[in-house]
Amino acid sequence: MALATLDWMTQDAERLAQCNHDHPQAVLGPQQLDDGRWVVRVWMPDASRVVLLHQGHEHVLENPHHAWVFEGELNSNPGSLYRLRVERAGITHEQHDPYAFRQEWMGAMDRHLFAEGNHHHIWQRMGAHPHVQEGVAGVQFCLWAPNARSVSVIGDCTNWDGRHLPMQQRLGGIWELFVPGLGAGAHYKYEIHTQQGHCYEKADPYGFQHEVRPAQASVVANLKGYQWGDDAWLKQRDNRNPLEQPVSVYEMHMGSWMHGSWDEPYIEADGTPRAPVPAADLKPGARLLTYPELADRVIPYVKARGFTHIELMPMAEHPFDGSWGYQVTGFYAPTSRFGSLNEFRAFVDRCHAEGIGVILDWVPGHFPKDAHGLAFFDGSHLYEHSDPRIGEHKEWGTLIFNYSRNEVRNFLVANLVFWFEELHIDGIRVDAVASMLYRDYLRPDGEWIANEHGGRENLEAVRFLQQANSVLFHYFPGALSIAEESTTWPLVTMPTSMGGLGFNLKWNMGWMHDMLDYFELDHWFRQFHQNNITFSIWYAHTENFMLALSHDEVVHGKSHLLHKMPGSDELKFANVRALLTYMWTHPGKKTIFMGMEFAQRGEWNVWGDLEWDKLQHREHQGVVNLVDDLNALYKSEPALWRNDFDSFGFQWIDCDDTNHSVVSFMRRDEKEGNWVVVVCNFTPEGHGNYRIGVPVDGFYTELFNSDGARYGGSNQGNLGGKFSDDWGMHSYGQSLDLCLPPLTVMVFKHDPNRQREAAKDEAAAKLGGSLG
């Protein structure tokens, strides 16, 4: 071998030893020589002897130019199926040579689509994939780090030493390496050496599973193999418009709904106990429930309450429990706190089997600065902006994605598709959309940069949201995409083809604030603030609204729903019942946070359980019964949901009776011609002989009364319903003479088949006498 070749190889070996080589396949593995023969070069740090095993022959390899580069010449190309017998520290093992496998993983079209931000299934290329190459099983690693000087796979297989498995750089800043012999369950990270000579250990941005916090490594997971049982559910979902369906959502935080005990460890299907995951900052002995345990407890509970969907606060991997999941480090991985990827899939699968959709809190607006995460990923501001005036949320301690970069936008858009396609979720609720839309969000003057037109709008974020929603509905037309957007940004729920952001629902933050402000008032003062109750109707059809009483309203000193209410305990519960009933009858889809369904007393505490002991008390169980029956009524009466988003669906009867704090209205269903009458009394004073106008003569059945004894109320009402009187009122020719119990919302429905005499006899029987 020529001296020049030896010198050149020595330089390459030194670069490999210093983790400074970006094309190891150029010198390692089978290499053809000028004379037609082949040399096999093997990189084995700390090895004392390497033997090449090929076609029944053993070739002892030499290391003429570096102690860790072993090589030997062969007459022909050995391909990739030769094996190596390696002696290191007195231990011998056999393995395949990673650098003998040269198949390019990311093809030209993959790279092109990724570079322009349109590879909607990029996770199928990026990340760590169990893979068989030329008949050899291993793991294919693929990473985007365009500014790195070198990248290595590190893990248990390398004793976390970055010298062992340097990756091959491809076009477009892609790094690849096939590692034979590895499989699902292997722990790994990427060791990235920057152009400035710094070294970072990073978790895989596209990792499908990560270690349980506080450990930070990624875990190789196989996306294939899970047998879903929800085909019928998905077909039905994507063949109907969710806006024309009842949507009643139970928002929950998996880690604090309920905990388990180490005294009762979870038992695997094969009978072996699973090591419990401690519940951080909770009393000793408490542990997090697993996905299977949560499925056993949450799903029957939510089904019994009658909710159509569960909304899970962020389930992507995150290091700090106290962030509630909103500071994500593993965007492509369900959190391992509760179990494995497939166990999360089984949770979703079981929800669908029980007729419950799954909505996920999705957080594309920011990410934390944790060293193993996306921040300063390859020694540059790769995922975030370099200028903190547009790249950092200082109040949150997080960084903002650079939506103008195609590959970053692709990372997020494909992530959205990933959760629907691989994990079968049915909807997303996008957190803090306003923080994405405005460059001056929570920033004082002088600490933000205007856009190219001099405005405060983040035009790149707008284009990203439009792209994300457009792609989502292309693949999953029956999905829910819900914006938590707290401003008056226009066209949030309009299609992108019309210049909208493309969501199909928006949380009605104005309604939520108005309702809570109103219900917190002393009852006497409510007469001066009736506009809080009525104002939402004047803009109800400007967007497709979802009414939400969320986790944000029952934490940080705000108190839970029950204790926002004025007066005695009896009045507090009546107010809660009235608010929830008004919510269910008001136009818009519904979301409440866990604990509201039984009027929990204490604020939500992410470290504790819900106050399940309260269910032994009549008044709390009464609220549960109320929610159960509200959901049943809601589903059974299309007038309460079918025309949520057009003016036909709602008609005031009277909204001006401020002296009594009473409002009345109709909800209508244009398709079937059904309608119901809703009457709300928001004071603790009952009103006898209260008259409202109705459009049609006949009997009006009392479908629902929030003052019912089953709900903990006084059980006052209208003996099942009332006939109208030929007494014009509120611009109608007929009217009802009603008993309105204190702090009560009632729902009536016209019954064209009910005759006056039969109803009279029935009412007399209820009273135990006769009615003249």
Side-chain angles (χ1 to χ4, degrees):
M1 189 175 294
L3 181 61
T5 303
L6 283 174
D7 290 341
W8 176 68
M9 283 305 307
T10 300
Q11 294 173 12
D12 274 291
E14 287 301 321
R15 290 177 62 197
L16 288 167
Q18 295 170 14
C19 296
N20 190 23
H21 208 302
D22 55 359
H23 285 77
Q25 288 183 348
V27 294
L28 300 179
Q31 306 286 335
Q32 190 168 23
L33 301 174
D34 293 340
D35 62 3
R37 288 169 57 79
W38 289 77
V39 62
V40 174
R41 296 195 189 96
V42 175
W43 174 246
M44 260 328 142
D46 298 324
S48 56
R49 188 170 188 265
V50 177
V51 178
L52 187 149
L53 310 175
H54 179 56
Q55 296 181 343
H57 298 285
E58 297 187 1
H59 304 270
V60 178
L61 303 184
E62 300 177 350
N63 44 6
H65 48 79
H66 194 281
W68 296 342
V69 177
F70 297 82
E71 67 179 51
E73 293 186 4
L74 300 174
N75 291 326
S76 61
N77 183 0
S80 59
L81 300 184
Y82 62 87
R83 292 180 63 80
L84 304 171
R85 183 184 299 136
V86 181
E87 294 183 16
R88 183 186 283 119
I91 299 174
T92 301
H93 74 276
E94 289 188 9
Q95 67 172 73
H96 285 281
D97 182 3
Y99 301 98
F101 297 87
R102 300 172 177 274
Q103 178 180 330
E104 196 163 331
W105 177 249
M106 279 273 281
M109 182 56 69
D110 290 316
R111 292 196 301 269
H112 171 76
L113 291 174
F114 181 57
E116 70 175 18
N118 287 319
H119 199 314
H120 302 156
H121 295 79
I122 189 61
W123 76 86
Q124 295 176 354
R125 299 285 97 188
M126 293 290 186
H129 296 267
H131 179 61
V132 176
Q133 192 171 144
E134 299 187 45
V136 177
V139 174
Q140 177 69 55
F141 294 93
C142 185
L143 179 72
W144 178 59
N147 301 298
R149 177 181 291 179
S150 69
V151 180
S152 298
V153 175
I154 58 175
D156 296 331
C157 62
T158 68
N159 200 27
W160 301 94
D161 186 336
R163 297 172 301 175
H164 287 266
L165 291 174
M167 300 180 76
Q168 175 74 20
Q169 188 176 31
R170 307 289 191 191
L171 293 175
I174 307 298
W175 299 80
E176 297 181 358
L177 186 65
F178 177 74
V179 181
L182 285 188
H187 293 186
Y188 71 99
K189 284 185 180 180
Y190 295 110
E191 183 176 285
I192 297 176
H193 289 257
T194 72
Q195 299 294 339
Q196 295 75 29
H198 302 135
C199 176
Y200 301 130
E201 290 186 5
K202 295 288 187 176
D204 190 344
Y206 291 87
F208 308 126
Q209 188 171 331
H210 300 280
E211 287 185 292
V212 178
R213 52 91 179 105
Q216 301 167 347
S218 302
V219 181
V220 177
N222 194 344
L223 291 179
K224 300 176 181 178
Y226 182 81
Q227 297 298 314
W228 288 94
D230 61 353
D231 285 352
W233 168 275
L234 297 180
K235 289 177 182 177
Q236 182 185 50
R237 181 196 71 190
D238 286 332
N239 281 299
R240 64 183 187 182
N241 183 353
L243 301 185
E244 297 177 358
Q245 306 297 323
V247 177
S248 172
V249 181
Y250 185 73
E251 183 194 21
M252 65 172 295
H253 178 263
M254 283 280 218
S256 59
W257 188 78
M258 182 183 292
H259 289 89
S261 168
W262 282 338
D263 296 332
E264 299 179 18
Y266 175 69
I267 305 298
E268 301 280 13
D270 62 3
T272 59
R274 170 181 296 182
V277 176
D281 290 353
L282 198 64
K283 60 186 179 182
R287 64 170 178 84
L288 298 178
L289 297 177
T290 64
Y291 288 122
E293 287 177 310
L294 287 161
D296 288 342
R297 303 184 193 192
V298 171
I299 296 172
Y301 180 81
V302 172
K303 183 178 180 179
R305 305 286 76 77
F307 290 97
T308 64
H309 293 74
I310 296 174
E311 179 184 321
L312 303 175
M313 291 173 69
M315 295 302 296
E317 193 59 80
H318 52 281
F320 177 46
D321 295 44
S323 78
W324 310 341
Y326 289 101
Q327 296 195 5
V328 178
T329 52
F331 282 81
Y332 282 81
T335 179
S336 56
R337 286 168 173 78
F338 313 111
S340 69
L341 169 75
N342 281 344
E343 286 176 327
F344 179 79
R345 284 168 156 170
F347 178 91
V348 175
D349 211 1
R350 186 164 166 191
C351 283
H352 291 169
E354 298 295 341
I356 299 170
V358 178
I359 299 170
L360 183 77
D361 248 348
W362 189 51
V363 192
H366 63 132
F367 59 92
K369 300 177 182 179
D370 296 66
H372 69 287
L374 299 178
F376 211 62
F377 188 79
D378 62 356
S380 70
H381 297 282
L382 187 64
Y383 286 89
E384 71 273 23
H385 288 277
S386 58
D387 192 326
R389 291 175 296 175
I390 54 175
E392 184 175 357
H393 282 305
K394 291 187 176 180
E395 288 199 11
W396 299 345
T398 56
L399 301 174
I400 300 171
F401 284 102
N402 183 353
Y403 305 110
S404 63
R405 187 157 197 165
N406 291 347
E407 297 91 343
V408 172
R409 208 167 56 252
N410 201 143
F411 171 81
L412 292 169
V413 172
N415 181 247
L416 183 55
V417 178
F418 168 84
W419 282 93
F420 280 84
E421 187 161 310
E422 298 287 356
L423 301 171
H424 287 207
I425 67 168
D426 303 288
I428 54 165
R429 175 262 191 187
V430 182
D431 177 61
V433 172
S435 76
M436 303 168 67
L437 294 176
Y438 298 98
R439 287 180 168 227
D440 63 345
Y441 187 84
L442 297 181
R443 292 185 177 88
D445 290 342
E447 294 189 15
W448 61 279
I449 302 175
N451 63 35
E452 59 262 39
H453 306 297
R456 57 197 284 254
E457 300 81 9
N458 188 334
L459 302 179
E460 295 87 354
V462 170
R463 288 190 285 269
F464 157 68
L465 290 170
Q466 290 175 326
Q467 179 188 5
N469 281 315
S470 178
V471 169
L472 172 64
F473 291 117
H474 170 76
Y475 290 107
F476 311 100
L480 289 170
S481 181
I482 308 163
E484 186 213 8
E485 204 288 303
S486 56
T487 74
T488 56
W489 186 281
L491 306 180
V492 172
T493 56
M494 286 291 105
T496 57
S497 60
M498 299 174 62
L501 294 183
F503 294 93
N504 57 5
L505 283 170
K506 171 182 172 174
W507 271 15
N508 194 335
M509 309 295 281
W511 176 88
M512 179 269 294
H513 287 297
D514 285 346
M515 289 305 102
L516 295 182
D517 287 348
Y518 181 84
F519 274 88
E520 288 174 1
L521 287 170
D522 181 273
H523 303 101
W524 187 84
F525 289 103
R526 289 182 180 178
Q527 62 186 307
F528 307 113
H529 296 272
Q530 188 133 321
N531 62 303
N532 284 45
I533 290 293
T534 61
F535 180 62
S536 58
I537 297 301
W538 308 121
Y539 63 85
H541 307 119
T542 60
E543 299 278 6
N544 301 332
F545 282 117
M546 171 172 276
L547 310 182
L549 296 173
S550 76
H551 63 274
D552 280 327
E553 308 317 313
V554 294
V555 73
H556 295 327
K558 297 179 183 178
S559 77
H560 220 294
L561 197 59
L562 180 69
H563 287 297
K564 294 178 187 293
M565 307 302 174
S568 65
D569 241 26
E570 181 181 0
L571 294 178
K572 290 180 188 294
F573 277 97
N575 270 298
V576 168
R577 296 193 300 267
L579 171 57
L580 293 177
T581 309
Y582 183 60
M583 179 180 183
W584 255 254
T585 55
H586 187 289
K589 307 309 181 187
K590 327 297 177 189
T591 295
I592 64 170
F593 184 57
M594 63 182 194
M596 292 181 182
E597 79 279 7
F598 62 82
Q600 172 160 316
R601 291 182 179 274
E603 277 195 341
W604 171 51
N605 174 10
V606 71
W607 313 115
D609 291 358
L610 295 185
E611 296 174 346
W612 296 110
D613 60 304
K614 298 298 187 291
L615 288 177
Q616 64 186 301
H617 301 293
R618 170 181 172 271
E619 59 271 25
H620 290 280
Q621 185 60 53
V623 178
V624 174
N625 295 340
L626 177 104
V627 170
D628 292 357
D629 291 355
L630 278 175
N631 276 322
L633 174 71
Y634 177 59
K635 293 176 183 177
S636 67
E637 293 295 333
L640 293 175
W641 47 262
R642 181 167 282 143
N643 289 86
D644 265 330
F645 308 118
D646 62 67
S647 57
F648 185 87
F650 182 92
Q651 176 66 53
W652 283 118
I653 296 174
D654 180 27
C655 61
D656 295 324
D657 187 2
T658 58
N659 289 337
H660 296 98
S661 296
V662 173
V663 296
S664 52
F665 54 90
M666 288 185 289
R667 295 298 312 278
R668 303 185 294 192
D669 166 23
E670 187 173 25
K671 181 178 180 181
E672 298 180 11
N674 292 318
W675 49 282
V676 297
V677 172
V678 181
V679 187
C680 313
N681 175 18
F682 292 125
T683 71
E685 300 297 325
H687 305 305
N689 304 113
Y690 190 92
R691 192 168 289 277
I692 66 165
V694 289
V696 178
D697 175 37
F699 187 78
Y700 285 77
T701 302
E702 188 179 275
L703 294 182
F704 193 89
N705 180 343
S706 68
D707 192 50
R710 170 172 160 78
Y711 313 133
S714 64
N715 212 34
Q716 300 179 53
N718 295 275
L719 299 175
K722 284 288 188 75
F723 273 99
S724 64
D725 299 317
D726 191 15
W727 182 342
M729 196 166 192
H730 300 136
S731 300
Y732 294 111
Q734 299 286 313
S735 61
L736 295 176
D737 180 9
L738 300 175
C739 168
L740 302 187
L743 293 168
T744 298
V745 176
M746 294 184 290
V747 182
F748 298 87
K749 185 175 183 179
H750 180 254
D751 183 353
N753 300 315
R754 195 74 172 267
Q755 301 301 313
R756 287 186 182 270
E757 289 306 315
K760 187 175 177 180
D761 293 343
E762 183 178 329
K766 287 183 179 179
L767 291 174
S770 62
L771 294 175

